[in-house]
Amino acid sequence: GQNIDQPTEMTATEGAIVQINCTYQTSGFNGLFWYQQHAGEAPTFLSYNVLDGLEEKGRFSSFLSRSKGYSYLLLKELQMKDSASYLCAVYQAGTALIFGKGTTLSVSS
Amino acid sequence: DSGVTQTPKHLITATGQRVTLRCSPRSGDLSVYWYQQSLDQGLQFLIQYYNGEERAKGNILERFSAQQFPDLHSELNLSSLELGDSALYFCASSVGELYETQYFGPGTRLLVL
C-alpha cells in the first residue's frame, strides 16, 4: 500500500525559513517529488529526489532519506507569493504518482 | 505555463449527463495522466496513457473512461454524472513512460448541479 503524511497547515513570516516534512510508506520507491499549488491553479514542479541527500534549487531545497521514508522541503527567504499548498508525491511500483494531501503554507508580513 | 493545455476551463452540467474533457500534452511528451482533485480527497490519480496505450490505472470509476489519440491528445469522458463528481480535473504529461517528472495543465473545473 501507499501512505504519505505531511502537516495540514503551517504559518511563517516573510524572510523566514520554513521546513515542510513528508513521511511515506510505499511498496516500491521510484522517486519523490515536491509540487507547489496555488488555490485553484495547476500544481507546478519544484523538486525531485531519487537518491539520499539534499537537492538545492535557488530558495528551495529538498532532502530525502530513503531508509527513513522521509523527505523535507526547505523554503528560505520566504515571500508572500510562497503562500500556497505544497504537495509531496511518491512514485509507487507500477508508475502511479501518489500525492499527499498537501501542506497549506501561509506567509504573513 | 507548463505547455499542457486543457479545455474547457469550466464546465457546469446536470446530474446524469455526460461530458468530455480534453488535454493536449507538451510537445514531445508521450505520456498523459489524468487526476481528480476535490477538497476532501486531494489529488487522486485516475489513469495514464503512453503513446496511445493505457499504461496504469488508479481509482477510476467505471463511469469514467479515457483514451489517447494518434496525435497524442487525450480525452476523459465522464458519464452518468453525480454531484460528487464535482471537482478539478487535471491532465499532466511527461516525456517517457516510467517515473518521470509530470507537468500539469491548468485544469477543468467541473460543477455538477
Side-chain angles (χ1 to χ4, degrees), chain B residues 35-53:
Chain B
Y35 292 86
Q36 179 191 58
Q37 187 175 41
S38 54
L39 282 173
D40 56 342
Q41 290 294 324
L43 203 57
Q44 299 287 313
F45 169 71
L46 296 178
I47 197 164
Q48 177 201 0
Y49 279 82
Y50 173 75
N51 205 20
E53 299 291 326

Side-chain angles (χ1 to χ4, degrees), chain A residues 61-93:
Chain A
S61 303
S62 57
F63 171 84
L64 175 67
S65 168
R66 289 173 295 169
S67 62
K68 296 182 179 177
Y70 168 69
S71 173
Y72 67 73
L73 180 70
L74 194 70
L75 293 76
K76 302 176 188 174
E77 301 169 12
L78 280 173
Q79 304 174 9
M80 297 292 284
K81 68 177 182 179
D82 297 330
S83 293
S85 183
Y86 291 86
L87 309 175
C88 174
V90 177
Y91 265 120
Q92 68 177 20

Side-chain angles (χ1 to χ4, degrees), chain B residues 66-82:
Chain B
Q67 55 183 325
Q68 186 180 29
F69 295 86
D71 67 352
L72 301 177
H73 90 272
S74 177
E75 293 181 355
L76 179 67
N77 300 295
L78 315 176
S79 61
S80 303
L81 284 167
E82 302 175 359

Side-chain angles (χ1 to χ4, degrees), chain A residues 93-96, chain B residues 30-33 45-58 68 96-99:
Chain A
T95 82
Chain B
L30 297 179
S31 274
V32 169
Y33 310 79
F45 169 71
L46 296 178
I47 197 164
Q48 177 201 0
Y49 279 82
Y50 173 75
N51 205 20
E53 299 291 326
E54 183 184 303
R55 182 61 185 85
K57 219 168 185 176
Q68 186 180 29
E97 181 180 7
L98 288 174
Y99 312 135

Side-chain angles (χ1 to χ4, degrees), chain A residues 30 33 35 37 40-45 48 87 91-101, chain B residues 33 35 37 40-41 43 45 48 55-56 88 90 97-106 109:
Chain A
N30 294 286
F33 293 79
Y35 283 82
Q37 185 178 26
E41 299 182 8
T44 55
F45 169 71
Y48 167 65
L87 309 175
Y91 265 120
Q92 68 177 20
T95 82
L97 187 59
I98 306 302
F99 283 82
K101 294 201 170 181
Chain B
Y33 310 79
Y35 292 86
Q37 187 175 41
D40 56 342
Q41 290 294 324
L43 203 57
F45 169 71
Q48 177 201 0
R55 182 61 185 85
L88 262 172
F90 288 106
E97 181 180 7
L98 288 174
Y99 312 135
E100 304 231 343
T101 302
Q102 297 181 25
Y103 295 91
F104 284 76
R109 184 176 293 278

Side-chain angles (χ1 to χ4, degrees), chain A residues 10-82:
Chain A
M10 297 183 72
T11 59
T13 54
E14 265 188 309
I17 299 173
V18 70
Q19 177 174 312
I20 302 174
N21 296 323
C22 170
T23 59
Y24 64 89
Q25 295 160 353
T26 177
S27 56
F29 179 81
N30 294 286
L32 186 143
F33 293 79
W34 285 95
Y35 283 82
Q36 181 193 59
Q37 185 178 26
H38 287 96
E41 299 182 8
T44 55
F45 169 71
L46 290 178
S47 70
Y48 167 65
N49 296 72
V50 67
L51 299 176
D52 290 352
L54 188 68
E55 295 283 339
E56 297 187 81
K57 193 188 286 187
R59 294 189 299 115
F60 293 3
S61 303
S62 57
F63 171 84
L64 175 67
S65 168
R66 289 173 295 169
S67 62
K68 296 182 179 177
Y70 168 69
S71 173
Y72 67 73
L73 180 70
L74 194 70
L75 293 76
K76 302 176 188 174
E77 301 169 12
L78 280 173
Q79 304 174 9
M80 297 292 284
K81 68 177 182 179
D82 297 330

